[in-house]
Amino acid sequence: MNKSLAQRLLSSRAGAAALALRVPVGIIFIAHGAQKLFGLFGGYGLEGTGQWMESIGLTPGYLMALMAGSAEFFGGLALLIGLLVRPAALSLSFAMLVAIFSVHIHNGLFMSNNGYEFGLALLAAAVSLLFSGAGSLSLDQAIARRLGDER
């Protein structure tokens, strides 16, 4: 049987294990995105984050803050609910690569020096979900099954 593009994108053989990765990582990304977009949890919102991004050479700063915040907030939400996990994981992977190489790499590995260790851990989780998919306990898998039944 030939699977549709949607079935290939949404289906996963990861089982329930992906849920254990999706939920905490999704929550972390949602919180960081909410800092950038809405100024929640001690964040600076779009204006402040945009000014900071501009100051480190990511221009235009407001647009960069909007893109990073949206990738984190909406990508994290997608991970949490298990919907469109692979596309979300791709955008989150890209966001983490930008964060690592534009902000943290020159500080070394450790978080205590504002290093890249936390970004690297989030990058690894996002890449893992990109490869594995959302797992059996997800909306992606439920939709993929339904698409398979319709054929």
Side-chain angles (χ1 to χ4, degrees), residues 61-72:
Y62 187 88
L63 178 62
M64 295 296 120
L66 180 62
M67 288 175 25
S70 294
E72 291 176 358

Side-chain angles (χ1 to χ4, degrees), residues 75-151:
L77 189 59
L79 296 187
L80 185 65
I81 65 173
L83 180 64
L84 297 173
V85 166
R86 282 192 172 104
L90 180 62
S91 69
L92 291 167
S93 296
F94 182 74
M96 288 301 91
L97 284 170
V98 171
I100 289 168
F101 287 107
S102 65
V103 179
H104 302 287
I105 196 77
H106 62 278
N107 297 320
L109 175 65
F110 296 104
M111 283 176 50
S112 60
N113 297 324
N114 197 29
Y116 59 90
E117 109 181 272
F118 185 60
L120 183 62
L122 291 175
L123 173 62
V127 169
S128 176
L129 290 167
L130 178 62
F131 289 134
S132 74
S136 60
L137 300 174
S138 68
L139 291 173
D140 280 357
Q141 190 66 24
I143 293 167
R145 270 191 231 108
R146 186 132 180 136
L147 289 172
D149 292 344
E150 290 175 2
R151 297 192 98 196

Side-chain angles (χ1 to χ4, degrees), residues 35-39 44-51 61-62 65-67:
Q35 288 179 314
K36 290 174 182 70
L37 294 177
F38 313 120
Y44 299 106
L46 278 174
E47 206 57 49
T49 303
Q51 289 172 2
Y62 187 88
L66 180 62
M67 288 175 25

